[in-house]
């Protein structure tokens, strides 16, 4: 239960900054709901009053109820419009504020060597995060809001009912308690029984589909395709069966709610019969009918509660509710400038001058544990990159190359050993010494949705257009740029100009060249380029780096460019198994020569 | 309204009876609702004007009607949901069929996303939106049919305002529908921008650009908020009109009835009854608006799905389905019969081109002698993998013949074992991965196959041994280990012809050594063809075939070919200068 309050507290914390809009939205929602109740109840009273007056030949002052009905009708329609607008506005802004905060919080968390590709980690996270934020939005609009409205409106309705006839109010209360409390509770309970097996079945279905489609060629070759198709169908049947069962529970809940509504209204009518005037009797019946309406969204909201809370918990684990609580929540973090992203003039190194004083970087028997007790990603790795030096790292996938890159990029914590910059030990990924140390061209050449300029300027916000053009020239993209309709302003990515793998790779290299970091880290720079282009691009990039006096770390599984390194190191299962000058190693038997031989064809 | 992608047509047609069934249940629930409204009106009338309470019979009827209505509602709801899942199943099956028939590789990752999450977006369209469209027609008709004889004037009001709703919605709607879609796109885009930056987070961090990007994100997010709210202001207008007209309709009915009651022109019972029905008349129209987003979501998801199955109309990749489902070694014969039955493979004048592309192979001929190990060498794109696909019967040549011991490939008797460059990590245990082609093989056979593939050491490393699970995506296995498992699979299948596609990327040292050793075991009594990337493999081969220009340009022993000035020399020279130096040393 305290967990429930924690969650609600977190949600309330999120909403605190938007409390005026949130309150306005709630007030509007309450007004709208009340207007609906007034509309129905007064209509019933009005009609009966008119009928009695008509039958008895008496007079009936219809001006007041008619005006009330008109006002309620307008309040209902207009209120609903305003309420939707205000609550959506508030929720959108909440999410909009949450996003940069989440982003900053995420940036502070050092990654784990979970996936061989650090970028994949980002993609994974991004996918989940998107869904989670949607869930938080839904929880606010479709979960918390209806509950709050019901909690406010129902007591008002019951009080009005009690004013006319306490016995009827008793019946109404009983109906409300069962409908608003018991039914959702039973539903949530039943949902919990079906929920976990359903989740398992859905995961199994996804796995079965991935195996069937992703492994189809092998399955065909083994004659196992029909077997796997059958298996996928079985898994699918199970998932569909469980989904249907969960849906039936929900349907029963909805039908139960409808039944309760009618039973309560009939109960009220029977209790009130003979106790009150005709018009009041009808008013009470209509009041009962209308009061159940705000309960309508509850069963679905309650059934989704588990999933919504799971999403909320993940967001909660990432982001503190407000900037203040954040600092209290994470005292463990070293007081590095990146810990408080708002204090932005952190030592983001000014461009070119920093390059002149390229630092010496040294790894002293550094180890990084694998995920969940798997093999270590790096084992006692010692490497040295002197100022302006060039180091090549080769090895099979999974050997620890990407871990090494992430470590220098400051996105990964190490477990043992020392990382030294200018012979000063670095405390961790948040140490300022690692901040802006590298200019990275990652293994997956990530492009952001935006213009060419925006992409190139990621690491060099001040770079001039001439500098951008020069960098594109170096990576043999001048012609490509000239052919772009809007030049450097051309948007790239899904909504913009499509970019081929090779173009993305070279843009990523150009971005690294422009970046301020004195150590140029090139992770698989030749991937996706044909050999001739690969040789030319690498040659020009290395020459440009040399002119600028920058150090280079070339991580690759291909032989090109290694001949221009001062030193190469072979990684295998997290260990350095061979290291030395490339031409020396090529001429003697050992892992590096085996690597070259394997790369011969 | 934008048209729906065609891939929703089939389930729509197939599920029409079920949809009608749901509509009928909903209609029946509507009829019961009308009856209940009559009971309530009649009872209230009796109480107000005659001071007589309901008879037990009346109460019994009401109870029965209430239960009937609850049952009908539950049935309609449940069946509608089931309908959604059925539709999801149909779309999913179609997607799987389409993906299995595709001639081009499936974009990785797209399947999991679209196949599971995408179908989630299609289900509500069938479960909610489509039934709501039926209901929006059916219930108003039921109500009208009852109201017309009861009170023609009210019926006139209802019938008069009802068409106004679609009309007004159409008037505003023409803009609003597009705005609705625009709002959808806007919200998706705002979230996409955020996710884009999160995806690039490692890079942003490396460039020390976190504060700048955070600022950008905040600015962009609040700008998008303003834009979205502006759109919403208009988009919600259609709901406002709907709501307003519905309210107006009910109010008009109430006023007309009220005054006629005052003037004694209508009985109370009738008036109350009609007034009770009036909101029900508009309710389904209102809920249709609520479910409209289900249509938008389904639309977007279906478009993405359609993109995945679009080339299903292309000729079915000239791929004959495997003729029989049974696997060759399911009888679990001893691993290698004493008498070697290695086949002779004859390739004569084979040409092949992928549709719309230049030919990959042109008049390609060679023979693989029984019991030999042949290395197939060529630049990337020279057609090595295509040749392996032809040899295992996955593709059929446009010209020429391929015979495995006189039988065309793909026939059950000639089915070869094949190991791709990157074996797929099938979910399950290690034993299951090995048994893929021989599901009934006994444990001893599996162990022997693992031994032959030099895979026993890493299997023994795991506490659960053969029953150790392979995580999703192959977690817990290195590329080399996965390859050794695939090799064990080939040993267990015990096919006399083995086709290996060597990975171009290097593997961990242990695996490299193990695989070379396993290759020696494989050639015993089998005919083996390796699309080779390893010098060690090529050296171990009885013969090297150099594929260039769509045919075998050179063949012979590696050292001989290397010494002569030919395509292989050119191939080796395509490497980096360091490779040349290394090869020079090795040949000494």
């Amino acid at each position: 239960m305290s967990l429930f309050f924690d969650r609600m507290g977190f949600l309330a914390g999120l909403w605190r900054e938007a409390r005026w809009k949130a309150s306005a939205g709630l007030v509007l929602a309450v007004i709208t709901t009340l207007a609906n109740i007034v509309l129905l109840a007064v209509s019933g009273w009005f009609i009966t009053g008119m009928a009695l007056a008509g039958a008895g030949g008496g007079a009936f002052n219809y001006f007041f109820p008619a005006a009330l009905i008109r006002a309620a009708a307008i309040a209902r329609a207009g209120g609903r419009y305003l309420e939707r607008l205000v609550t959506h506005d508030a929720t959108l802004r909440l999410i909009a504020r949450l996003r940069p905060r989440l982003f900053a919080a995420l940036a502070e968390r050092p990654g784990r060597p979970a996936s061989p590709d650090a970028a994949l980690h980002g993609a994974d996270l991004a996918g989940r995060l998107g869904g989670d934020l949607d869930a938080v939005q839904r929880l606010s609009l479709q979960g918390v809001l209806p509950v709050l409205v019901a909690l406010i409106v129902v007591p008002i309705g019951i009080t009005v009912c009690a004013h006319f006839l306490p016995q009827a109010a008793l019946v109404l209360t009983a109906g409300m308690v069962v409908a608003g409390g018991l039914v959702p509770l039973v539903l949530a309970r039943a949902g919990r029984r079906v929920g976990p097996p359903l989740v398992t079945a859905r995961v199994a279905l996804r796995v079965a589909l991935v195996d069937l489609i992703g492994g189809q060629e092998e399955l065909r070759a083994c004659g196992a395709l029909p077997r796997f198709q059958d298996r996928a169908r079985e898994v699918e049947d199970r998932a569909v069966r469980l989904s249907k069962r969960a849906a039936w529970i929900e349907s029963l809940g909805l039908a139960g709610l409808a039944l309760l509504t009618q039973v309560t209204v009939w109960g009220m009518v029977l209790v009130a019969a003979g106790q009150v005037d005709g018009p009041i009797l009808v008013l009470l019946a209509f009041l009962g009918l209308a009061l159940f309406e705000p309960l309508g969204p509850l069963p679905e909201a309650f059934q989704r509660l588990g999933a919504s809370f799971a999403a909320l918990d993940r967001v909660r684990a990432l982001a503190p509710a407000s900037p203040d609580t954040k600092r209290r929540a994470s005292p463990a973090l070293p007081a590095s400038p990146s810990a408080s992203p708002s204090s932005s003039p952190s030592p983001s190194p000014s461009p070119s001058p920093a390059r002149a004083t390229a630092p010496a970087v040294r790894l002293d028997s550094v180890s990084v544990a694998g995920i969940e007790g798997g093999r270590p990603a790096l084992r006692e790795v010692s490497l040295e990159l002197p100022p302006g030096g060039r180091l090549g790292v080769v090895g099979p996938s999974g050997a620890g190359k990407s871990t090494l890159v992430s470590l220098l990029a400051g996105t990964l914590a190490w477990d043992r050993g020392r990382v030294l910059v200018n012979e000063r030990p670095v405390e961790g990924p948040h140490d300022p010494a690692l901040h802006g140390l590298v200019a990275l061209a990652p293994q997956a050449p990530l492009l952001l949705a935006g213009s060419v300029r925006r992409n190139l300027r990621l690491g060099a916000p001040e770079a001039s257009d001439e500098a951008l053009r020069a960098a594109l020239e170096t990576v043999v993209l001048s012609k490509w740029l000239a052919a772009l309709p809007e030049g450097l302003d051309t948007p790239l990515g899904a909504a913009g100009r499509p970019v081929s793998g090779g173009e993305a790779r070279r843009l990523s290299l150009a971005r690294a060249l422009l970046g301020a970091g004195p150590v140029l880290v090139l992770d698989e720079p030749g991937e996706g380029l044909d050999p001739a282009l690969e040789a030319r691009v690498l040659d020009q990039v290395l020459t440009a780096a040399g002119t600028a006096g920058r150090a280079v770390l070339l991580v690759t599984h291909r032989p090109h460019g290694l001949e221009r390194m001062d030193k190469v190191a072979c990684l295998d299962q997290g260990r350095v198994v061979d290291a030395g000058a490339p031409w020396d190693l090529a001429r003697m038997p050992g892992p590096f020569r085996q690597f070259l031989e394997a790369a011969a064809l | 309204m934008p048209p729906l992608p065609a891939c929703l047509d089939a389930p729509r047609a197939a599920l029409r009876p079920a949809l009608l069934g749901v509509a009928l249940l909903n209609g029946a629930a509507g009829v019961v609702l009308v009856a209940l409204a009559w009971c309530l009106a009649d009872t209230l009338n009796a109480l107000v004007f005659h001071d007589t309470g309901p008879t037990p019979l009346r109460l019994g009827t009401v109870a029965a009607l209430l239960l009937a209505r609850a049952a009908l509602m539950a049935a309609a709801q449940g069946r509608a949901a089931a309908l959604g899942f059925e539709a999801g199943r149909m779309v999913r099956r179609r997607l799987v069929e389409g993906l299995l028939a595709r001639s081009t590789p499936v974009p990785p990752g797209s399947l999991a996303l679209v196949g599971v999450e995408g179908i989630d977006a299609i289900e509500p369209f069938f479960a909610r939106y489509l039934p709501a469209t039926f209901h929006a027609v059916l219930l108003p008709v039921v109500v009208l049919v009852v109201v017309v004889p009861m009170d023609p004037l009210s019926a006139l009001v209802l019938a008069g305002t009802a068409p106004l709703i679609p009309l007004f919605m159409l008037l505003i709607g023409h803009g609003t529908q597009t705005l609705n879609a625009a709002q959808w796109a806007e919200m998706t885009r705002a979230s996409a921008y955020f996710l884009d930056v999160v995806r690039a987070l490692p890079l942003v961090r490396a460039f020390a650009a976190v504060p700048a990007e955070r600022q950008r994100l905040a600015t962009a997010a609040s700008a998008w908020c303003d834009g979205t709210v502006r759109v919403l202001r208009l988009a919600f207008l259609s709901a406002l009109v709907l709501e307003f007209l519905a309210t107006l309709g009910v109010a008009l009915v109430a006023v007309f009835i009220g005054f006629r009651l005052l003037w004694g022109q209508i009985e109370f019972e009738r008036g109350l009854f009609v007034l009770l029905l009036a909101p029900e008349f508009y309710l389904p129209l209102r809920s249709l608006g609520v479910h409209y987003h289900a249509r938008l979501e389904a639309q977007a998801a279906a478009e993405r799905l359609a993109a995945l199955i679009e080339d299903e109309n292309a000729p079915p990749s000239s791929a004959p389905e495997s003729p029989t489902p049974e696997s060759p070694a399911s009888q679990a014969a001893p691993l290698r019969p004493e008498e070697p039955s290695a086949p002779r493979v004859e390739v004569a004048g084979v040409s092949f081109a992928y549709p719309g592309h230049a030919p990959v192979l042109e008049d390609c001929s060679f023979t693989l002698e029984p019991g030999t190990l042949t290395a197939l060498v060529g630049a990337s794109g020279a057609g090595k993998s295509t040749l392996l696909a032809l040899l295992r019967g996955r593709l059929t040549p446009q010209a020429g013949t391929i015979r495995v011991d006189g039988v065309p490939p793909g026939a059950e008797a000639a089915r070869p074992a094949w190991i791709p460059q990157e074996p797929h990590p099938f979910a399950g245990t290690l034993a299951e991965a090995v048994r893929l082609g021989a599901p009934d093989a006994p444990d001893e056979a599996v162990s022997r196959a693992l031994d032959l593939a030099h895979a026993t050491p890493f299997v023994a490393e795991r506490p659960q041994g053969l029953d150790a699970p392979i995580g999703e995506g192959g977690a817990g296995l290195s590329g080399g280990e996965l390859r050794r498992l695939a090799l064990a699979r080939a040993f267990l299948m015990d096919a006399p012809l083995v086709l290996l596609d060597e990975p171009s990327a290097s593997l961990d040292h242990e695996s490299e050594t193990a695989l070379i050793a396993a290759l020696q075991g494989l050639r015993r009594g089998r005919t083996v063809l390796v699309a080779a990337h390893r010098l060690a493999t090529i050296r171990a081969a009885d013969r090297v075939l150099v594929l260039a220009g769509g045919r075998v340009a050179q063949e012979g022993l590696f050292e001989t070919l290397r010494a002569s000035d030919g395509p292989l020399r050119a191939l080796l020279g395509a490497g980096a200068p360091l490779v040349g130096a290394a090869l020079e040393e090795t040949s000494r």
Side-chain angles (χ1 to χ4, degrees):
Chain A
M1 209 58 198
S2 80
L3 184 61
F4 174 81
F5 286 116
D6 281 355
R7 285 163 173 159
M8 285 299 130
F10 174 71
L11 205 58
L14 286 182
W15 277 103
R16 208 168 51 206
E17 280 173 57
R19 57 184 174 276
W20 295 118
K21 265 192 187 138
S23 317
L26 181 61
V27 167
L28 281 167
V30 167
I31 288 176
T32 311
T33 315
L34 284 177
N36 186 46
I37 295 171
V38 168
L39 186 65
L40 269 166
V42 174
S43 297
W45 176 70
F46 165 73
I47 292 269
T48 320
M50 294 286 261
L52 279 174
F60 182 75
N61 178 9
Y62 48 78
F63 290 108
F64 171 65
L68 204 57
I69 288 174
R70 257 201 311 276
I74 291 169
R76 190 179 84 157
R80 177 96 184 98
Y81 175 74
L82 286 177
E83 176 233 319
R84 282 178 84 182
L85 208 58
V86 170
T87 51
H88 276 78
D89 182 28
T91 318
L92 281 174
R93 283 186 204 284
L94 171 86
I95 300 293
R97 259 193 306 272
L98 196 55
R99 278 185 189 142
R101 206 179 287 159
L102 271 178
F103 176 73
L106 280 172
E108 277 178 38
R109 294 193 333 160
R112 281 173 302 146
S115 65
D117 188 352
L120 194 72
H121 176 60
D124 231 31
L125 193 68
R128 211 191 61 196
L129 209 55
D132 286 353
L133 284 180
D134 285 350
V136 169
Q137 188 174 346
R138 264 205 309 276
L139 178 65
S140 301
L141 282 178
Q142 291 162 25
V144 176
L145 187 66
V147 169
L148 286 180
V149 169
L151 282 177
I152 294 172
V153 170
V154 168
I156 294 178
I158 290 176
T159 311
V160 171
C161 182
H163 170 76
F164 290 115
L165 186 70
Q167 297 95 302
L170 232 63
V171 175
L172 185 58
T173 310
M176 284 289 149
V177 167
V178 175
L182 204 62
V183 169
L185 224 80
V186 169
L187 279 186
R189 248 208 135 76
R192 267 207 293 278
R193 269 235 307 281
V194 186
L198 180 58
V199 170
T200 317
R202 285 172 59 92
V203 170
L205 177 59
R206 198 185 67 221
V207 169
L209 287 176
V210 167
D211 277 354
L212 182 62
I213 303 300
Q216 56 170 305
E217 289 299 320
E218 278 159 90
L219 292 174
R220 245 189 217 111
C222 297
L225 193 62
R227 188 152 52 90
F228 269 66
Q229 270 175 306
D230 288 347
R231 191 197 285 182
R233 271 192 211 114
E234 268 166 41
V235 175
E236 184 185 49
D237 287 343
R238 184 174 156 69
V240 168
R241 211 164 47 235
L242 285 167
S243 301
K244 282 183 185 170
R245 201 185 301 164
W248 273 108
I249 293 175
E250 198 185 320
S251 318
L252 285 177
L254 281 171
L257 199 63
L259 182 66
L260 263 172
T261 310
Q262 294 278 345
V263 167
T264 308
V265 170
W266 278 92
M268 286 169 73
V269 167
L270 292 180
V271 166
Q275 305 276 326
V276 290
D277 293 344
I280 299 298
L281 178 67
V282 179
L283 179 145
L284 288 181
F286 277 44
L287 174 75
L289 271 179
L291 207 55
F292 274 91
E293 235 170 76
L295 299 187
L298 295 191
E300 202 182 332
F302 274 84
Q303 243 209 344
R304 273 214 208 124
L305 214 55
S308 305
F309 275 160
L312 187 69
D313 284 347
R314 285 193 290 265
V315 172
R316 197 158 65 115
L318 282 178
S322 74
D324 316 329
T325 46
K326 174 166 93 184
R327 267 182 218 116
R328 263 182 281 126
S330 53
L333 279 173
S336 73
S338 60
S340 50
S342 43
S343 61
S344 86
S346 54
S348 62
S350 46
S352 6
R355 289 181 194 167
T357 54
V361 181
R362 192 154 72 84
L363 266 60
D364 182 17
S365 58
V366 169
S367 296
V368 176
I371 23 155
E372 284 148 28
R375 286 198 206 89
L378 287 181
R379 307 186 215 205
E380 297 180 357
V381 167
S382 295
L383 288 171
E384 198 174 353
L385 188 59
R390 293 171 171 207
L391 174 65
V393 174
V394 299
S397 71
K401 296 184 308 236
S402 296
T403 307
L404 188 66
V405 170
S406 307
L407 200 140
L408 289 181
T411 54
L412 184 92
W414 57 95
D415 300 301
R416 268 179 291 120
R418 294 187 303 165
V419 175
L420 303 108
V421 175
N422 286 330
E423 288 306 306
R424 197 187 68 77
V426 173
E427 287 189 28
H430 288 285
D431 193 299
L434 285 182
H435 203 66
L437 175 73
V438 303
L440 175 66
Q443 191 177 351
L446 277 164
L447 291 185
L448 297 164
S451 65
V452 178
R453 184 181 285 111
R454 150 133 174 83
N455 269 287
L456 291 181
R457 274 192 182 167
L458 183 64
E462 315 280 292
S464 67
D465 280 5
E466 288 78 69
L468 302 188
R469 283 175 208 286
L472 288 177
E473 168 92 60
T474 308
V475 295
V476 201
L477 278 179
S478 289
K479 272 194 198 143
W480 174 82
L481 176 67
L484 289 183
E486 295 161 72
L488 289 169
D489 292 314
T490 310
L492 301 177
R497 187 189 185 281
V499 178
S500 78
E503 287 158 3
R505 171 76 50 195
R506 285 180 283 159
L507 279 169
S508 164
L509 285 172
R511 175 164 60 196
L513 276 174
L514 287 162
V519 178
L520 196 59
V521 176
L522 311 176
D523 197 350
E524 304 289 359
E527 191 82 36
L529 306 181
D530 68 70
L533 186 60
E534 176 184 3
R536 184 160 161 221
V537 169
L538 252 182
D539 192 58
Q540 296 191 15
V541 167
L542 289 175
T543 305
T547 317
R550 299 171 95 175
V552 175
L553 178 70
L554 173 63
V555 175
T556 182
H557 72 272
R558 295 141 81 98
H560 298 273
L562 288 171
E563 69 278 359
R564 291 183 65 175
M565 297 294 110
D566 305 329
K567 225 179 132 180
V568 290
C570 289
L571 283 181
D572 192 41
Q573 302 195 346
R575 277 205 183 82
V576 176
V577 291
D578 205 1
W583 291 98
D584 296 347
L585 290 187
R587 293 200 178 94
M588 60 175 103
F592 186 63
R593 194 162 88 186
Q594 276 177 9
F595 160 78
L596 290 175
E597 284 179 7
L601 284 161
Chain B
M1 255 190 240
L4 284 163
C7 67
L8 294 183
D9 290 347
R12 239 173 127 173
L15 293 171
R16 184 147 298 151
L19 266 169
L20 285 174
V22 170
L24 281 179
L25 283 170
N26 270 325
V31 170
V32 176
L33 180 75
V34 170
L36 273 170
W38 170 255
C39 288
L40 187 61
D42 188 51
T43 306
L44 284 173
N45 181 51
L47 280 170
V48 171
F49 284 90
H50 312 293
D51 223 2
T52 49
T55 59
L57 178 65
R58 163 59 55 85
L59 284 180
T61 317
V62 166
L65 283 172
L66 283 180
L67 287 174
R69 175 153 193 267
L72 284 168
M73 276 180 75
Q77 279 274 345
R79 298 202 54 164
L83 198 76
F85 298 126
E86 282 310 324
R89 191 208 303 253
M90 289 170 81
V91 175
R92 195 184 296 114
R93 292 241 162 118
R94 204 173 135 81
L95 174 73
V96 168
E97 275 164 29
L99 287 174
L100 287 179
R102 250 175 101 102
S103 46
T104 47
V106 182
S110 60
L111 172 85
L113 191 76
V114 177
V116 180
E117 279 82 11
I119 289 188
D120 281 356
I122 286 178
E123 285 163 358
F125 173 72
F126 285 91
R128 289 169 194 238
Y129 180 77
L130 283 182
T133 56
F134 278 95
H135 202 47
V137 177
L138 208 62
L139 191 63
V141 168
V142 168
V143 170
L144 266 189
V145 164
V146 177
V147 172
V148 167
M150 281 278 163
D151 181 13
L153 185 62
S154 295
L156 209 65
V157 170
L158 293 180
T161 46
L164 279 183
I165 290 179
L167 184 74
F168 270 82
M169 284 196 57
L170 213 72
L171 280 178
I172 310 173
H174 208 65
T176 315
Q177 302 286 14
T178 31
L179 274 175
N180 227 330
Q183 174 224 341
W184 208 246
E186 195 77 10
M187 281 172 76
T188 321
R189 203 141 63 93
S191 132
Y193 181 87
F194 168 64
L195 298 180
D196 196 37
V197 187
V198 171
R199 200 171 293 130
L201 188 59
L203 193 66
V204 174
R205 272 189 68 164
F207 278 117
V210 172
E213 285 301 321
R214 183 182 200 245
Q215 192 52 49
R216 255 185 116 91
L217 201 58
T219 321
S222 84
W224 261 310
C225 258
D226 295 340
T228 310
V229 169
R230 222 172 299 135
V231 172
L232 285 180
R233 229 174 267 155
L234 278 168
F236 289 156
L237 216 57
S238 69
L240 173 67
V241 169
L242 204 90
E243 197 88 18
F244 183 71
L245 280 173
T247 311
L248 189 74
V250 176
L252 276 178
V253 168
V255 167
F256 285 145
I257 290 176
F259 280 97
R260 278 179 298 153
L261 281 172
L262 186 62
W263 301 325
Q265 291 173 354
I266 188 173
E267 307 97 88
F268 175 66
E269 190 177 20
R270 272 187 194 207
L272 192 60
F273 174 56
V274 171
L275 189 64
L276 275 170
L277 286 184
E280 302 295 339
F281 178 81
Y282 295 103
L283 193 63
L285 280 169
R286 285 165 60 197
S287 60
L288 187 60
V290 175
H291 294 312
Y292 186 72
H293 73 269
R295 188 184 194 279
L296 285 175
E297 276 185 347
Q299 173 117 25
E303 271 161 19
R304 281 186 297 156
L305 290 174
L308 273 183
I309 32 180
E310 67 187 343
D311 67 335
E312 70 182 320
N313 291 339
S317 75
S318 58
E321 259 322 305
S322 322
T324 39
E326 293 87 42
S327 58
S330 46
Q331 276 73 45
L335 267 187
R336 191 79 284 240
E338 283 314 304
E339 72 280 26
S341 60
R344 173 195 305 276
V345 179
E346 288 162 309
V347 175
V350 163
S351 297
F352 182 84
Y354 290 97
H357 289 273
V360 184
L361 296 173
E362 270 190 298
D363 195 19
C364 177
S365 303
F366 61 87
T367 304
L368 303 179
E369 294 301 330
T372 58
L373 171 68
T374 309
L376 186 64
V377 180
S380 85
K384 300 189 295 281
S385 297
T386 306
L387 193 53
L388 293 193
L390 286 164
L391 282 171
R392 66 174 200 273
R394 176 71 178 108
L395 302 174
T396 0
Q398 278 111 17
T401 55
I402 300 175
R403 289 289 176 270
V404 180
D405 267 349
V407 183
E412 179 62 23
R415 177 183 286 152
W418 168 69
I419 301 171
Q421 279 210 2
E422 283 172 33
H424 178 84
F426 289 96
T429 63
L430 292 176
E432 280 166 6
V434 177
R435 280 200 182 105
L436 200 65
D440 305 321
D443 279 357
E444 311 88 72
V446 172
S447 304
R448 201 129 38 97
L450 283 169
D451 253 348
L452 288 167
H454 290 250
T456 310
F458 78 83
V459 174
E461 245 174 51
R462 330 234 147 195
Q464 291 136 293
L466 272 174
D467 295 324
I470 302 174
E472 208 181 316
L477 284 181
S478 78
E481 289 167 347
L482 212 54
R483 205 167 163 75
R484 279 189 268 168
L485 273 188
L487 201 60
R489 182 185 307 157
F491 274 113
L492 189 65
M493 270 178 77
D494 203 29
L497 173 62
V498 179
L499 307 169
L500 294 170
D501 211 341
E502 258 187 1
S504 54
S506 54
L507 302 173
D508 58 283
H509 186 65
E510 192 190 315
S511 291
E512 292 276 9
T513 325
L515 284 167
I516 293 295
L519 202 61
Q520 299 296 343
L522 201 60
R523 71 198 301 181
R524 218 160 293 142
R526 293 183 183 86
T527 307
V528 183
L529 180 66
V530 192
H533 287 278
R534 303 275 182 285
L535 222 49
T537 311
I538 298 166
R539 285 222 177 83
D542 298 312
R543 200 163 56 124
V544 178
L545 301 176
V546 184
L547 206 57
R551 63 192 70 184
V552 175
Q554 209 183 7
E555 60 170 290
L557 275 172
F558 174 67
E559 294 307 333
T560 332
L561 296 183
R562 237 195 108 202
S564 70
D565 198 13
L568 184 72
R569 275 279 282 266
L571 257 177
L572 290 173
L578 279 173
V579 174
L583 288 182
E584 228 149 84
E585 288 301 319
T586 0
S587 58
R588 245 173 233 169

